[in-house]
Amino acid sequence: MTDRALSEEAMLASLRDIQLPAEAAGGLVADLAATVGLAGLVALILAGLIRLLSRSAQRPQRRDPLAESRALPEAERRVALLHLLRARAPERYAAIRGEIYAPGGGVDLATLEAEVRRHA
């Protein structure tokens, strides 16, 4: 490089001489890799958007575990009510836990349901 400034015409003439190669380095393989990479990125973005939209469209349904337990047989209903009572009122569950294994079935179903309903 020289220390003197180039004229505008000389600068424009030197820019016209710049020629890019007809094919980029890597050729077809590089083009395919870039295309696959961009397509993968777009697919990830679209999948994230679809997942976000589908989650916002789903609203949690309120379910009534007591109503669901009424359809169960007596032994399974008793277990379900005990699980509900343990989750909702652990101190009350601890108080009646000794009666669970008593002969004759232990705690009455109506009593269990009333306890669960009271602690709902």
Side-chain angles (χ1 to χ4, degrees):
M1 298 288 276
T2 62
D3 290 337
R4 60 186 186 120
L6 292 174
S7 67
E8 185 178 347
E9 294 84 22
M11 214 170 30
L12 289 175
S14 67
L15 287 176
R16 288 190 196 109
D17 291 340
I18 297 176
Q19 293 183 359
L20 295 175
E23 195 167 315
L28 183 62
V29 176
D31 289 342
L32 286 175
T35 303
V36 168
L38 288 174
L41 181 64
V42 169
L44 284 174
I45 290 171
L46 287 177
L49 286 174
I50 289 171
R51 185 174 181 178
L52 181 67
L53 292 175
S54 68
R55 278 192 177 177
S56 65
Q58 295 175 354
R59 297 216 165 51
Q61 297 177 356
R62 292 189 52 106
R63 56 184 260 270
D64 184 15
L66 284 175
E68 291 176 4
S69 71
R70 288 188 189 110
L72 297 173
E74 183 177 335
E76 291 178 19
R77 184 174 180 209
R78 181 182 314 278
V79 171
L81 288 172
L82 286 168
H83 281 288
L84 285 171
L85 186 62
R86 183 176 61 189
R88 292 181 178 180
E91 70 285 344
R92 185 63 187 132
Y93 173 79
I96 66 168
R97 185 170 59 189
E99 300 175 30
I100 294 173
Y101 301 106
V107 184
D108 182 28
L109 278 175
T111 306
L112 272 176
E113 188 170 342
E115 288 288 334
V116 170
R117 188 167 292 151
R118 188 171 61 132
H119 294 288

